[in-house]
Amino acid sequence: ETARALVDRKLRSTRGLDREKRIRRLAGMLARKGYGEGLALRVVRQALEDEGEDPEELEQHLPDH
């Protein structure tokens, strides 16, 4: 829940960036706060899907985990 709240706050500032850059920035922010890569990527993916991103398009930009 805390990781999602952090991502939700940062999402607005990444709008307009390309998808891959948004994923890197959001997951990197969580990593710096001590969240593991798998959890960070799941939270970022869910947040972007909730925002309207196509899940299949996201798959192309997420590392395999």
Side-chain angles (χ1 to χ4, degrees), residues 47-55:
L48 292 174
E49 283 181 17
D50 290 350
E51 194 181 63
E53 288 277 358
D54 182 344

Side-chain angles (χ1 to χ4, degrees), residues 33-44:
K33 295 196 179 285
Y35 291 94
E37 184 181 16
L39 173 67
L41 290 172
R42 278 195 311 276
V43 170
V44 168

Side-chain angles (χ1 to χ4, degrees), residues 8-17 22 25-26:
D8 285 345
R9 280 202 305 257
K10 183 92 171 157
L11 263 180
R12 279 189 296 279
S13 69
T14 65
R15 284 198 184 116
L17 297 175
R22 289 184 88 190
R25 286 199 183 169
L26 294 167

